Every structure is written in structure tokens, then in C-alpha cells.
Amino acid sequence: MVEIIQVFMPSLYLPVITNADILRERERRWLTFCADYTIWEADGLVLDNPFIPIWSEVKFDRTSASSIPSEMGVYMFIVKSLPEALLNYQHRYILYVGQAVNLRKRFGEYFHYANSSKPSDQLKRVMTVVWEDKLYFNYFPTDGFSRADLTSVEFDLIDKIVPPMNKLFRAEVLKQYISLYAAR
């Protein structure tokens, strides 16, 4: 007999939860994680924009906002475990990839998710409430990119990394696997 373990999978149809619920109920921290390297290396997931970005990183706190440029760019939220020295500064976990017309403004908007009651904000709310102290904002400006190029780079990263807080994917192979394996 096979035991089926149901993993918490957020959706827009979940009941409203409080920040205290998020912190108290540990199952709210568990999301789908893609560990299938054959999907990552699928022929259909070739990068449209094969360039090497120069990433910058700031801690996710209000004092960091002034160091982020007011330019268009791509960003990632990353969790770092502590103490980093114990893990040779190697453990990082990418939670979310996004794009912004103004990186500084978008960074600041994330502080409002902790108090949002909108169902569509629930994933970002979980991310900012649960991992707030260990959350880092990584970004790179995309000078000279069109909006189409910016979107293409964002989805190249999402389709290759499969971050657990992202729910939109461009690659059909990912859409098929996610619908097949997503908790119901």
C-alpha cells in the first residue's frame, strides 16, 4: 500500500489566514519544490537571452531600499540559512523570481503584503512573514531592455529554477508536470 502525503499548496480559494496562523501552523511553510533535473534540462527550456547578469543583493528590510536603483530589472527573493559560515556560505534557496519597471518601488511594495487580506497576495504574504529575517532581495538592472526582453528574461529564470512562490510558467512541459503533480 502506498501512503499519500498531501503537501500544503496555496491557492486563491483558501480561507483567509492571519499572520499568526502562518507562523503557528508550520504546514503553511511547505510548498511544491521541483527537484527533477530532467525538467530543468529539457530541450524546451532553452534560454532566450543567454547573457550573464551582474546580480546585487540587499537584506529584505526597509533600510535597504535606498541602495536599490529606480531602474527596470529582474529580481529574486532568496532565503539564506544561518549561520552561513557553518555551511560555507553555500546554502541559498530561491523562493520567487519577478520583474519590475522600477526595482526600488517594487522592493518597497513587498512590505505591504504582510498586512494584505487579498487572496492573490497570500503567497507573497507567507514569504515575507515566515522568512522575513532571512530574506534577501537579489536584483540586476536591465538597461537597454525592452519590456518584452524583460519578460523573456524573467520567464527564462522562472522556467529554469521553478521557484515555489511563482505560479506562472511559460514552458509547456512545466505546465504539464505542475498540473499533474500539484496537490488537489
Side-chain angles (χ1 to χ4, degrees):
M1 181 175 166
V2 176
E3 181 181 352
I4 298 174
I5 300 172
Q6 185 169 1
V7 178
F8 171 74
M9 176 59 77
S11 79
L12 296 178
Y13 308 106
L14 290 177
V16 174
I17 58 172
T18 66
N19 289 352
D21 292 336
I22 292 169
L23 293 171
R24 181 180 55 255
E25 299 170 19
R26 298 184 70 77
E27 71 272 8
R28 298 202 184 276
R29 301 176 191 203
W30 293 92
L31 299 171
T32 301
F33 170 67
C34 174
D36 187 344
Y37 71 88
T38 60
I39 294 174
W40 294 338
E41 296 174 353
D43 290 340
L45 297 177
V46 177
L47 296 177
D48 288 343
N49 293 289
F51 71 99
I52 307 295
I54 299 172
W55 292 91
S56 297
E57 179 179 88
V58 296
K59 178 109 173 72
F60 181 64
D61 62 31
R62 292 182 190 276
T63 61
S64 299
S66 62
S67 65
I68 299 170
S70 297
E71 298 176 33
M72 185 167 63
V74 174
Y75 64 91
M76 295 188 295
F77 275 99
I78 294 176
V79 170
K80 291 184 184 181
S81 64
L82 297 175
E84 287 190 317
L86 181 66
L87 298 172
N88 195 26
Y89 301 93
Q90 300 303 312
H91 189 265
R92 294 166 167 242
Y93 188 76
I94 300 170
L95 293 175
Y96 184 81
V97 174
Q99 64 165 294
V101 173
N102 182 325
L103 287 165
R104 182 183 301 171
K105 181 180 177 190
R106 186 68 182 121
F107 177 82
E109 290 169 351
Y110 274 89
F111 293 99
H112 302 289
Y113 288 119
N115 300 315
S116 177
S117 60
K118 291 170 46 177
S120 60
D121 293 345
Q122 188 168 349
L123 283 176
K124 292 178 181 115
R125 187 168 144 219
V126 169
M127 180 178 71
T128 58
V129 169
V130 172
W131 294 293
E132 180 181 16
D133 293 337
K134 295 177 178 24
L135 202 56
Y136 289 79
F137 185 79
N138 287 247
Y139 64 91
F140 68 92
T142 52
D143 295 335
F145 278 46
S146 67
R147 287 296 301 264
D149 289 340
L150 181 65
T151 299
S152 180
V153 169
E154 175 195 21
F155 276 101
D156 282 347
L157 291 170
I158 291 169
D159 287 350
K160 281 296 192 183
I161 299 166
V162 192
M165 296 295 175
N166 285 93
K167 295 299 169 215
L168 296 177
F169 301 92
R170 178 180 55 202
E172 289 303 317
V173 66
L174 285 174
K175 290 177 186 178
Q176 291 169 358
Y177 279 109
I178 288 167
S179 64
L180 179 65
Y181 294 113
R184 301 200 188 331

